[in-house]
Amino acid sequence: MTKFAELTLHGFLDALASDAPTPGGGTAAAAAGAMGAALAQMVAGITLSKEKYAASHDAVRPIAEAGELARAEFLDLAQEDSAAYDDVVAARRLPKETEEQKAARARKIALANRRAAEVPMRTARAAVRLLAALPELAEKGNPNAVSDVGAASLLLDACVEGALLNVGINLSSIDDAGFVAEMQRETATLQEASQRLRSQVLALVRKQF
Amino acid sequence: MTKFAELTLHGFLDALASDAPTPGGGTAAAAAGAMGAALAQMVAGITLSKEKYAASHDAVRPIAEAGELARAEFLDLAQEDSAAYDDVVAARRLPKETEEQKAARARKIALANRRAAEVPMRTARAAVRLLAALPELAEKGNPNAVSDVGAASLLLDACVEGALLNVGINLSSIDDAGFVAEMQRETATLQEASQRLRSQVLALVRKQF
């Protein structure tokens, strides 16, 4: 499959806009997360490069690293999200003439659906994890870039909510009630955290205008 | 200046993450808008290509066109946003030794700040305009892609809010009280519309899970 990160932004947007089943919203959500992570890394970087903010360096250094790692993780997840959905489509196309084929197809669809829910859940988790560092970045980061911390929180929250929509739509075709309940519980927890962190960051940002 | 749309996604994220003053949150917000527009176009496209949804074709056709136009507009705005901020930085670096230089520099800074607020305002307006078409797309578009309409609404709302943070931060260095008041009024209107439309779309999407 095409490596999305190696497409031009133009080409990536063309792929999103095309009629092909992938890439779709799950991949776009992960790409938004990658932009949020890149902005967090930038703000941390222009704090660490200035002696003026030396008092914040110890707090900000791990955020620079977390941003860089999360960016790579989001690009991997953007790719995996499309691969997981391609597998669902491929499983649905398996032959279903004999009872044996029907059973094998059903098993493959179930497995593929499960993975298509798990991948965006990992995206949402990664975004909430990075969001949790942004209130500190809004308070201690270079104040000239505080609006970029706000933009990062908006992109990471959109990433969380977009990924969780993909979790939800895939859960609707999964029979394992225990798995569904567990994923729904985590969905609610991550949504609550994401909304709370986004609001907290935006309030800190607007205070500095 | 580098054309962001011609960078690889990797290269664009590197540019966002770098210590350079641009691209920053305003450009990332516009790129998120472009992803939302691409997703809207995709959902409209896979509705128009199926006879099964013929009853929706008249409603959905203008949304496909609006998505395509908005995507190009957001890419232009991503570029303009960085150019506008580069002009602010350049104006601040003008000489300020003589009274005449000081006056010329102040005039150039004022002009550049004004444009640096106007560009993201245009981004926010374009995103709200496209968001206004999404409730209809969630209701009449191909239901297999309804979660992608939801993802589009999240990306466009993040675009609106991210662009408006950049409007806000630039307004804080503008003296013209009438201009500032006008921009603040429009900020409030666009925020209210964006939040309302995002909620409306997400409610329609979740009803279909």
Short mmCIF file of all heavy atoms in Angstrom, two decimals, chain A residues 5-10 13-14 16-19 24-25 28 32 34-35 38 41-42 45-46 71 147-148 150-151 154-155 161-162 165 168-169 191 206 209, chain B residues 5-10 13-14 16-19 24-25 28 32 34-35 38 41-42 45-46 71 147-148 150-151 154-155 161-162 165 168-169 191 206 209:
data_model
loop_
_atom_site.label_atom_id
_atom_site.label_comp_id
_atom_site.label_asym_id
_atom_site.label_seq_id
_atom_site.Cartn_x
_atom_site.Cartn_y
_atom_site.Cartn_z
N ALA A 5 2.70 8.97 4.32
CA ALA A 5 3.66 10.01 4.72
C ALA A 5 4.57 10.42 3.57
O ALA A 5 5.16 11.49 3.59
CB ALA A 5 4.50 9.53 5.91
N GLU A 6 4.68 9.55 2.55
CA GLU A 6 5.55 9.87 1.42
C GLU A 6 4.80 10.51 0.25
O GLU A 6 5.40 10.93 -0.73
CB GLU A 6 6.29 8.60 0.96
CG GLU A 6 7.39 8.24 1.96
CD GLU A 6 7.79 6.78 1.95
OE1 GLU A 6 7.58 6.11 0.93
OE2 GLU A 6 8.29 6.31 2.99
N LEU A 7 3.47 10.56 0.36
CA LEU A 7 2.69 11.31 -0.63
C LEU A 7 2.88 12.79 -0.38
O LEU A 7 3.15 13.21 0.75
CB LEU A 7 1.19 10.99 -0.48
CG LEU A 7 0.72 9.58 -0.82
CD1 LEU A 7 -0.78 9.46 -0.56
CD2 LEU A 7 1.03 9.26 -2.28
N THR A 8 2.71 13.61 -1.44
CA THR A 8 2.65 15.05 -1.17
C THR A 8 1.32 15.32 -0.47
O THR A 8 0.39 14.51 -0.53
CB THR A 8 2.68 15.88 -2.47
OG1 THR A 8 1.51 15.56 -3.24
CG2 THR A 8 3.93 15.61 -3.30
N LEU A 9 1.25 16.45 0.23
CA LEU A 9 0.01 16.84 0.90
C LEU A 9 -1.13 16.84 -0.13
O LEU A 9 -2.23 16.33 0.13
CB LEU A 9 0.19 18.23 1.51
CG LEU A 9 -0.91 18.76 2.40
CD1 LEU A 9 -1.29 17.77 3.49
CD2 LEU A 9 -0.49 20.09 3.05
N HIS A 10 -0.83 17.36 -1.32
CA HIS A 10 -1.78 17.34 -2.43
C HIS A 10 -2.26 15.92 -2.75
O HIS A 10 -3.45 15.66 -2.87
CB HIS A 10 -1.08 17.90 -3.68
CG HIS A 10 -1.91 18.89 -4.39
ND1 HIS A 10 -1.53 20.19 -4.55
CD2 HIS A 10 -3.12 18.78 -4.95
CE1 HIS A 10 -2.47 20.83 -5.19
NE2 HIS A 10 -3.45 19.99 -5.44
N LEU A 13 -4.42 14.39 0.01
CA LEU A 13 -5.79 14.93 -0.02
C LEU A 13 -6.57 14.34 -1.19
O LEU A 13 -7.76 14.03 -1.05
CB LEU A 13 -5.75 16.46 -0.11
CG LEU A 13 -5.23 17.16 1.16
CD1 LEU A 13 -4.92 18.62 0.87
CD2 LEU A 13 -6.22 17.04 2.31
N ASP A 14 -5.93 14.15 -2.33
CA ASP A 14 -6.59 13.49 -3.47
C ASP A 14 -7.03 12.08 -3.08
O ASP A 14 -8.13 11.64 -3.44
CB ASP A 14 -5.63 13.39 -4.67
CG ASP A 14 -5.60 14.68 -5.49
OD1 ASP A 14 -6.50 15.52 -5.32
OD2 ASP A 14 -4.66 14.85 -6.29
N LEU A 16 -7.70 10.96 -0.05
CA LEU A 16 -8.83 11.08 0.88
C LEU A 16 -10.12 11.37 0.12
O LEU A 16 -11.18 10.84 0.45
CB LEU A 16 -8.61 12.24 1.86
CG LEU A 16 -7.82 12.03 3.15
CD1 LEU A 16 -7.84 13.31 3.96
CD2 LEU A 16 -8.35 10.86 3.97
N ALA A 17 -10.03 12.24 -0.89
CA ALA A 17 -11.23 12.69 -1.62
C ALA A 17 -11.72 11.66 -2.63
O ALA A 17 -12.85 11.76 -3.10
CB ALA A 17 -10.93 14.02 -2.34
N SER A 18 -10.89 10.67 -2.95
CA SER A 18 -11.26 9.70 -4.00
C SER A 18 -12.34 8.74 -3.52
O SER A 18 -12.61 8.63 -2.32
CB SER A 18 -10.03 8.89 -4.42
OG SER A 18 -9.85 7.80 -3.54
N ASP A 19 -12.93 8.02 -4.48
CA ASP A 19 -13.98 7.05 -4.17
C ASP A 19 -13.46 5.77 -3.53
O ASP A 19 -14.26 4.93 -3.10
CB ASP A 19 -14.73 6.67 -5.47
CG ASP A 19 -15.74 7.74 -5.88
OD1 ASP A 19 -15.72 8.83 -5.28
OD2 ASP A 19 -16.55 7.47 -6.79
N GLY A 24 -9.71 6.92 4.75
CA GLY A 24 -10.92 7.62 5.13
C GLY A 24 -10.73 8.39 6.43
O GLY A 24 -9.62 8.83 6.74
N GLY A 25 -11.81 8.54 7.18
CA GLY A 25 -11.80 9.38 8.38
C GLY A 25 -10.81 8.94 9.45
O GLY A 25 -10.25 9.78 10.15
N ALA A 28 -7.46 10.20 8.35
CA ALA A 28 -7.44 11.67 8.47
C ALA A 28 -7.32 12.09 9.93
O ALA A 28 -6.59 13.03 10.26
CB ALA A 28 -8.69 12.27 7.84
N ALA A 32 -4.39 14.34 11.57
CA ALA A 32 -4.63 15.54 12.41
C ALA A 32 -3.84 15.41 13.71
O ALA A 32 -3.25 16.39 14.19
CB ALA A 32 -6.12 15.71 12.69
N ALA A 34 -1.05 13.84 14.06
CA ALA A 34 0.36 14.06 13.72
C ALA A 34 0.66 15.56 13.62
O ALA A 34 1.72 16.03 14.06
CB ALA A 34 0.71 13.35 12.41
N MET A 35 -0.29 16.34 13.07
CA MET A 35 -0.09 17.80 13.00
C MET A 35 -0.07 18.39 14.42
O MET A 35 0.74 19.28 14.72
CB MET A 35 -1.19 18.46 12.17
CG MET A 35 -1.09 18.16 10.68
SD MET A 35 -1.97 19.38 9.65
CE MET A 35 -3.67 18.97 9.99
N ALA A 38 3.24 17.64 15.95
CA ALA A 38 4.31 18.46 15.37
C ALA A 38 4.29 19.87 15.96
O ALA A 38 5.35 20.44 16.28
CB ALA A 38 4.16 18.51 13.85
N GLN A 41 5.70 19.80 19.45
CA GLN A 41 7.15 19.69 19.38
C GLN A 41 7.78 21.04 19.04
O GLN A 41 8.81 21.43 19.61
CB GLN A 41 7.51 18.66 18.31
CG GLN A 41 8.97 18.22 18.34
CD GLN A 41 9.31 17.32 17.15
OE1 GLN A 41 8.42 16.79 16.48
NE2 GLN A 41 10.59 17.17 16.89
N MET A 42 7.15 21.78 18.13
CA MET A 42 7.66 23.10 17.74
C MET A 42 7.67 24.05 18.95
O MET A 42 8.68 24.72 19.21
CB MET A 42 6.79 23.66 16.61
CG MET A 42 7.19 25.02 16.10
SD MET A 42 6.37 26.38 16.97
CE MET A 42 4.80 26.44 16.09
N GLY A 45 10.29 23.10 21.26
CA GLY A 45 11.60 23.41 20.68
C GLY A 45 11.98 24.87 20.83
O GLY A 45 13.12 25.19 21.21
N ILE A 46 11.03 25.79 20.58
CA ILE A 46 11.37 27.22 20.68
C ILE A 46 11.33 27.71 22.13
O ILE A 46 11.59 28.88 22.40
CB ILE A 46 10.49 28.12 19.76
CG1 ILE A 46 9.03 28.06 20.17
CG2 ILE A 46 10.68 27.76 18.29
CD1 ILE A 46 8.17 29.09 19.44
N ARG A 71 4.22 11.84 16.91
CA ARG A 71 4.08 12.13 15.49
C ARG A 71 4.34 10.88 14.65
O ARG A 71 3.56 10.52 13.77
CB ARG A 71 5.04 13.24 15.09
CG ARG A 71 5.11 13.48 13.60
CD ARG A 71 5.49 14.89 13.29
NE ARG A 71 6.79 15.26 13.83
CZ ARG A 71 7.88 15.50 13.08
NH1 ARG A 71 7.81 15.38 11.77
NH2 ARG A 71 9.00 15.89 13.64
N SER A 147 -0.68 30.33 21.03
CA SER A 147 -1.83 29.97 20.18
C SER A 147 -1.58 28.65 19.44
O SER A 147 -2.52 27.94 19.10
CB SER A 147 -2.16 31.09 19.19
OG SER A 147 -1.12 31.24 18.25
N ASP A 148 -0.30 28.30 19.24
CA ASP A 148 0.01 27.02 18.60
C ASP A 148 -0.26 25.84 19.55
O ASP A 148 -0.60 24.75 19.09
CB ASP A 148 1.47 27.00 18.13
CG ASP A 148 1.71 28.04 17.04
OD1 ASP A 148 0.94 28.06 16.07
OD2 ASP A 148 2.63 28.86 17.18
N GLY A 150 -2.72 25.93 21.62
CA GLY A 150 -4.17 25.83 21.47
C GLY A 150 -4.55 25.06 20.22
O GLY A 150 -5.41 24.18 20.25
N ALA A 151 -3.90 25.39 19.09
CA ALA A 151 -4.19 24.68 17.83
C ALA A 151 -3.86 23.20 17.97
O ALA A 151 -4.61 22.34 17.49
CB ALA A 151 -3.39 25.31 16.69
N LEU A 154 -6.67 21.47 19.76
CA LEU A 154 -7.84 21.32 18.88
C LEU A 154 -7.65 20.15 17.92
O LEU A 154 -8.57 19.36 17.69
CB LEU A 154 -8.07 22.61 18.09
CG LEU A 154 -8.51 23.82 18.93
CD1 LEU A 154 -8.29 25.11 18.17
CD2 LEU A 154 -9.97 23.67 19.34
N LEU A 155 -6.45 20.04 17.34
CA LEU A 155 -6.19 18.96 16.39
C LEU A 155 -6.17 17.60 17.09
O LEU A 155 -6.68 16.61 16.56
CB LEU A 155 -4.85 19.22 15.69
CG LEU A 155 -4.87 20.42 14.73
CD1 LEU A 155 -3.46 20.86 14.37
CD2 LEU A 155 -5.64 20.05 13.45
N GLU A 161 -11.78 12.33 18.80
CA GLU A 161 -13.20 12.14 18.47
C GLU A 161 -13.38 11.45 17.12
O GLU A 161 -14.28 10.62 16.96
CB GLU A 161 -13.92 13.50 18.47
CG GLU A 161 -13.99 14.18 19.83
CD GLU A 161 -15.08 13.59 20.73
OE1 GLU A 161 -15.84 12.69 20.28
OE2 GLU A 161 -15.16 14.01 21.90
N GLY A 162 -12.54 11.79 16.15
CA GLY A 162 -12.64 11.17 14.83
C GLY A 162 -12.28 9.68 14.90
O GLY A 162 -12.94 8.83 14.30
N LEU A 165 -15.14 7.78 16.50
CA LEU A 165 -16.25 7.51 15.57
C LEU A 165 -15.97 6.22 14.81
O LEU A 165 -16.88 5.42 14.57
CB LEU A 165 -16.41 8.64 14.55
CG LEU A 165 -17.08 9.92 14.99
CD1 LEU A 165 -17.14 10.90 13.82
CD2 LEU A 165 -18.50 9.64 15.50
N GLY A 168 -16.54 3.29 17.04
CA GLY A 168 -17.98 3.07 17.21
C GLY A 168 -18.61 2.38 16.01
O GLY A 168 -19.37 1.42 16.17
N ILE A 169 -18.28 2.86 14.80
CA ILE A 169 -18.91 2.27 13.62
C ILE A 169 -18.46 0.82 13.43
O ILE A 169 -19.25 -0.03 13.01
CB ILE A 169 -18.67 3.12 12.36
CG1 ILE A 169 -19.79 2.83 11.34
CG2 ILE A 169 -17.30 2.89 11.73
CD1 ILE A 169 -20.25 4.05 10.61
N GLN A 191 -13.19 10.22 25.69
CA GLN A 191 -13.92 11.43 25.28
C GLN A 191 -13.95 12.46 26.40
O GLN A 191 -13.72 13.64 26.18
CB GLN A 191 -15.36 11.08 24.91
CG GLN A 191 -15.49 10.59 23.48
CD GLN A 191 -16.94 10.39 23.10
OE1 GLN A 191 -17.69 9.80 23.88
NE2 GLN A 191 -17.33 10.85 21.93
N ARG A 206 -6.27 31.47 26.04
CA ARG A 206 -7.02 32.73 25.89
C ARG A 206 -6.67 33.73 26.98
O ARG A 206 -6.76 34.94 26.77
CB ARG A 206 -8.53 32.44 25.84
CG ARG A 206 -8.89 31.68 24.56
CD ARG A 206 -10.37 31.71 24.23
NE ARG A 206 -10.58 31.04 22.93
CZ ARG A 206 -11.21 29.85 22.77
NH1 ARG A 206 -11.71 29.24 23.82
NH2 ARG A 206 -11.34 29.32 21.58
N PHE A 209 -3.96 36.19 25.79
CA PHE A 209 -4.17 37.09 24.64
C PHE A 209 -4.10 38.54 25.09
O PHE A 209 -4.65 38.91 26.10
CB PHE A 209 -5.53 36.83 24.00
CG PHE A 209 -5.51 35.70 23.01
CD1 PHE A 209 -4.42 34.86 22.94
CD2 PHE A 209 -6.57 35.47 22.16
CE1 PHE A 209 -4.39 33.81 22.04
CE2 PHE A 209 -6.55 34.43 21.25
CZ PHE A 209 -5.47 33.59 21.19
N ALA B 5 1.59 22.32 -0.22
CA ALA B 5 0.86 21.22 -0.86
C ALA B 5 1.78 20.30 -1.64
O ALA B 5 1.44 19.15 -1.91
CB ALA B 5 -0.24 21.77 -1.76
N GLU B 6 2.97 20.81 -2.00
CA GLU B 6 3.91 20.00 -2.77
C GLU B 6 4.94 19.28 -1.89
O GLU B 6 5.73 18.47 -2.39
CB GLU B 6 4.60 20.86 -3.83
CG GLU B 6 3.63 21.16 -4.98
CD GLU B 6 3.99 22.42 -5.75
OE1 GLU B 6 5.18 22.79 -5.78
OE2 GLU B 6 3.07 23.03 -6.32
N LEU B 7 4.95 19.59 -0.61
CA LEU B 7 5.79 18.83 0.32
C LEU B 7 5.16 17.46 0.54
O LEU B 7 3.94 17.31 0.43
CB LEU B 7 5.86 19.55 1.67
CG LEU B 7 6.58 20.88 1.73
CD1 LEU B 7 6.51 21.44 3.16
CD2 LEU B 7 8.04 20.72 1.32
N THR B 8 5.98 16.46 0.89
CA THR B 8 5.38 15.21 1.35
C THR B 8 4.75 15.48 2.72
O THR B 8 5.10 16.44 3.41
CB THR B 8 6.42 14.08 1.52
OG1 THR B 8 7.35 14.49 2.53
CG2 THR B 8 7.16 13.81 0.21
N LEU B 9 3.79 14.63 3.09
CA LEU B 9 3.17 14.77 4.40
C LEU B 9 4.26 14.78 5.47
O LEU B 9 4.24 15.61 6.41
CB LEU B 9 2.19 13.61 4.60
CG LEU B 9 1.29 13.63 5.82
CD1 LEU B 9 0.55 14.95 5.97
CD2 LEU B 9 0.29 12.47 5.76
N HIS B 10 5.23 13.90 5.31
CA HIS B 10 6.40 13.86 6.19
C HIS B 10 7.12 15.20 6.27
O HIS B 10 7.41 15.72 7.35
CB HIS B 10 7.38 12.82 5.63
CG HIS B 10 7.89 11.92 6.68
ND1 HIS B 10 7.68 10.57 6.67
CD2 HIS B 10 8.57 12.19 7.81
CE1 HIS B 10 8.22 10.04 7.74
NE2 HIS B 10 8.76 11.00 8.44
N LEU B 13 5.05 17.92 8.00
CA LEU B 13 5.06 17.76 9.46
C LEU B 13 6.40 18.20 10.04
O LEU B 13 6.46 18.82 11.11
CB LEU B 13 4.75 16.31 9.83
CG LEU B 13 3.31 15.88 9.54
CD1 LEU B 13 3.18 14.36 9.63
CD2 LEU B 13 2.33 16.55 10.50
N ASP B 14 7.50 17.91 9.32
CA ASP B 14 8.82 18.38 9.75
C ASP B 14 8.86 19.90 9.82
O ASP B 14 9.42 20.48 10.74
CB ASP B 14 9.91 17.90 8.78
CG ASP B 14 10.36 16.47 9.07
OD1 ASP B 14 10.08 15.96 10.18
OD2 ASP B 14 11.00 15.86 8.19
N LEU B 16 6.26 21.91 10.23
CA LEU B 16 5.44 22.35 11.38
C LEU B 16 6.22 22.21 12.69
O LEU B 16 6.13 23.06 13.57
CB LEU B 16 4.19 21.49 11.51
CG LEU B 16 2.94 21.83 10.71
CD1 LEU B 16 1.81 20.87 11.08
CD2 LEU B 16 2.49 23.27 10.94
N ALA B 17 6.98 21.11 12.80
CA ALA B 17 7.68 20.79 14.06
C ALA B 17 8.95 21.60 14.25
O ALA B 17 9.47 21.68 15.36
CB ALA B 17 8.01 19.30 14.10
N SER B 18 9.44 22.24 13.15
CA SER B 18 10.72 22.94 13.23
C SER B 18 10.61 24.24 14.02
O SER B 18 9.51 24.74 14.28
CB SER B 18 11.23 23.26 11.82
OG SER B 18 10.64 24.47 11.38
N ASP B 19 11.77 24.80 14.38
CA ASP B 19 11.82 26.04 15.15
C ASP B 19 11.48 27.29 14.31
O ASP B 19 11.34 28.38 14.86
CB ASP B 19 13.23 26.24 15.72
CG ASP B 19 13.45 25.39 16.97
OD1 ASP B 19 12.59 24.52 17.25
OD2 ASP B 19 14.46 25.61 17.66
N GLY B 24 2.84 27.48 11.18
CA GLY B 24 2.42 27.27 12.56
C GLY B 24 0.96 26.82 12.60
O GLY B 24 0.45 26.23 11.65
N GLY B 25 0.30 27.18 13.70
CA GLY B 25 -1.06 26.70 13.94
C GLY B 25 -2.07 27.15 12.90
O GLY B 25 -3.02 26.41 12.60
N ALA B 28 -1.64 24.84 9.98
CA ALA B 28 -2.12 23.50 10.35
C ALA B 28 -3.65 23.49 10.38
O ALA B 28 -4.29 22.51 9.94
CB ALA B 28 -1.55 23.09 11.70
N ALA B 32 -6.07 21.09 8.20
CA ALA B 32 -7.15 20.26 8.77
C ALA B 32 -8.45 20.52 8.01
O ALA B 32 -9.22 19.58 7.72
CB ALA B 32 -7.33 20.56 10.25
N ALA B 34 -8.65 21.38 4.90
CA ALA B 34 -8.52 20.72 3.59
C ALA B 34 -8.82 19.22 3.71
O ALA B 34 -9.46 18.64 2.82
CB ALA B 34 -7.10 20.94 3.05
N MET B 35 -8.41 18.59 4.82
CA MET B 35 -8.73 17.17 5.02
C MET B 35 -10.24 16.98 5.19
O MET B 35 -10.83 16.04 4.65
CB MET B 35 -7.99 16.61 6.24
CG MET B 35 -6.49 16.47 6.03
SD MET B 35 -5.73 15.27 7.17
CE MET B 35 -5.81 16.14 8.72
N ALA B 38 -11.84 17.27 1.83
CA ALA B 38 -11.58 16.07 1.01
C ALA B 38 -12.51 14.93 1.43
O ALA B 38 -13.05 14.22 0.59
CB ALA B 38 -10.11 15.65 1.15
N GLN B 41 -15.98 15.58 0.14
CA GLN B 41 -16.02 15.28 -1.30
C GLN B 41 -16.10 13.77 -1.54
O GLN B 41 -16.84 13.31 -2.41
CB GLN B 41 -14.76 15.86 -1.94
CG GLN B 41 -14.81 15.92 -3.46
CD GLN B 41 -13.47 16.33 -4.05
OE1 GLN B 41 -12.60 16.86 -3.35
NE2 GLN B 41 -13.30 16.09 -5.34
N MET B 42 -15.36 13.00 -0.78
CA MET B 42 -15.36 11.54 -0.91
C MET B 42 -16.76 10.98 -0.64
O MET B 42 -17.28 10.17 -1.43
CB MET B 42 -14.34 10.94 0.06
CG MET B 42 -14.23 9.44 0.01
SD MET B 42 -15.33 8.58 1.18
CE MET B 42 -14.38 8.72 2.70
N GLY B 45 -19.00 11.82 -3.37
CA GLY B 45 -18.63 11.04 -4.56
C GLY B 45 -19.19 9.63 -4.53
O GLY B 45 -19.73 9.15 -5.53
N ILE B 46 -19.09 8.95 -3.38
CA ILE B 46 -19.58 7.56 -3.32
C ILE B 46 -21.10 7.51 -3.11
O ILE B 46 -21.68 6.44 -3.04
CB ILE B 46 -18.85 6.70 -2.25
CG1 ILE B 46 -19.08 7.25 -0.85
CG2 ILE B 46 -17.36 6.60 -2.56
CD1 ILE B 46 -18.58 6.31 0.24
N ARG B 71 -11.39 22.66 -0.64
CA ARG B 71 -10.06 22.05 -0.45
C ARG B 71 -8.98 22.92 -1.07
O ARG B 71 -7.96 23.22 -0.44
CB ARG B 71 -10.06 20.67 -1.09
CG ARG B 71 -8.70 20.02 -1.13
CD ARG B 71 -8.79 18.52 -1.12
NE ARG B 71 -9.53 18.00 -2.24
CZ ARG B 71 -8.99 17.29 -3.24
NH1 ARG B 71 -7.69 17.04 -3.24
NH2 ARG B 71 -9.72 16.81 -4.21
N SER B 147 -19.57 7.83 9.14
CA SER B 147 -18.56 8.23 10.13
C SER B 147 -17.54 9.20 9.52
O SER B 147 -16.93 9.99 10.23
CB SER B 147 -17.87 7.01 10.74
OG SER B 147 -17.10 6.35 9.76
N ASP B 148 -17.38 9.14 8.19
CA ASP B 148 -16.47 10.08 7.52
C ASP B 148 -17.06 11.50 7.48
O ASP B 148 -16.31 12.47 7.50
CB ASP B 148 -16.15 9.60 6.11
CG ASP B 148 -15.40 8.27 6.13
OD1 ASP B 148 -14.38 8.19 6.86
OD2 ASP B 148 -15.82 7.32 5.46
N GLY B 150 -18.85 12.60 9.92
CA GLY B 150 -18.55 13.01 11.30
C GLY B 150 -17.11 13.48 11.42
O GLY B 150 -16.84 14.54 12.01
N ALA B 151 -16.17 12.72 10.86
CA ALA B 151 -14.75 13.11 10.92
C ALA B 151 -14.54 14.45 10.22
O ALA B 151 -13.78 15.30 10.70
CB ALA B 151 -13.88 12.02 10.30
N LEU B 154 -15.55 17.25 12.50
CA LEU B 154 -14.57 17.46 13.57
C LEU B 154 -13.36 18.23 13.05
O LEU B 154 -12.85 19.14 13.73
CB LEU B 154 -14.11 16.10 14.12
CG LEU B 154 -15.18 15.31 14.88
CD1 LEU B 154 -14.78 13.85 15.01
CD2 LEU B 154 -15.41 15.93 16.25
N LEU B 155 -12.89 17.88 11.85
CA LEU B 155 -11.72 18.55 11.28
C LEU B 155 -12.05 20.00 10.93
O LEU B 155 -11.23 20.90 11.12
CB LEU B 155 -11.23 17.78 10.05
CG LEU B 155 -10.61 16.42 10.37
CD1 LEU B 155 -10.51 15.54 9.12
CD2 LEU B 155 -9.22 16.60 10.99
N GLU B 161 -11.83 26.78 14.94
CA GLU B 161 -11.34 27.21 16.26
C GLU B 161 -9.85 27.54 16.21
O GLU B 161 -9.40 28.50 16.84
CB GLU B 161 -11.61 26.13 17.31
CG GLU B 161 -13.09 25.89 17.58
CD GLU B 161 -13.71 26.97 18.48
OE1 GLU B 161 -12.97 27.85 18.96
OE2 GLU B 161 -14.93 26.91 18.68
N GLY B 162 -9.08 26.75 15.46
CA GLY B 162 -7.64 27.00 15.35
C GLY B 162 -7.37 28.30 14.61
O GLY B 162 -6.51 29.09 15.01
N LEU B 165 -8.15 31.23 16.89
CA LEU B 165 -7.09 31.52 17.87
C LEU B 165 -6.05 32.43 17.24
O LEU B 165 -5.53 33.35 17.89
CB LEU B 165 -6.39 30.23 18.31
CG LEU B 165 -7.08 29.33 19.32
CD1 LEU B 165 -6.19 28.12 19.60
CD2 LEU B 165 -7.37 30.08 20.61
N GLY B 168 -7.40 35.89 17.05
CA GLY B 168 -7.36 36.50 18.39
C GLY B 168 -5.99 36.99 18.78
O GLY B 168 -5.82 38.11 19.26
N ILE B 169 -4.98 36.14 18.55
CA ILE B 169 -3.63 36.53 18.98
C ILE B 169 -3.12 37.71 18.16
O ILE B 169 -2.42 38.58 18.68
CB ILE B 169 -2.66 35.33 18.95
CG1 ILE B 169 -1.51 35.59 19.93
CG2 ILE B 169 -2.12 35.05 17.55
CD1 ILE B 169 -1.09 34.38 20.68
N GLN B 191 -17.82 30.95 15.87
CA GLN B 191 -17.66 29.90 16.90
C GLN B 191 -18.99 29.26 17.23
O GLN B 191 -19.10 28.04 17.33
CB GLN B 191 -17.07 30.49 18.18
CG GLN B 191 -15.57 30.59 18.15
CD GLN B 191 -15.01 31.03 19.48
OE1 GLN B 191 -15.54 31.98 20.09
NE2 GLN B 191 -13.96 30.38 19.94
N ARG B 206 -24.18 9.55 14.92
CA ARG B 206 -24.27 8.52 15.97
C ARG B 206 -25.62 7.80 15.93
O ARG B 206 -25.71 6.65 16.32
CB ARG B 206 -24.01 9.15 17.34
CG ARG B 206 -22.55 9.58 17.46
CD ARG B 206 -22.09 9.87 18.88
NE ARG B 206 -20.66 10.19 18.88
CZ ARG B 206 -20.15 11.38 19.17
NH1 ARG B 206 -20.95 12.38 19.53
NH2 ARG B 206 -18.84 11.57 19.14
N PHE B 209 -25.33 4.50 13.94
CA PHE B 209 -24.43 3.39 14.33
C PHE B 209 -25.25 2.15 14.65
O PHE B 209 -26.26 2.20 15.31
CB PHE B 209 -23.62 3.79 15.57
CG PHE B 209 -22.39 4.58 15.23
CD1 PHE B 209 -22.19 5.07 13.97
CD2 PHE B 209 -21.43 4.82 16.20
CE1 PHE B 209 -21.05 5.80 13.67
CE2 PHE B 209 -20.29 5.55 15.91
CZ PHE B 209 -20.10 6.04 14.65
#
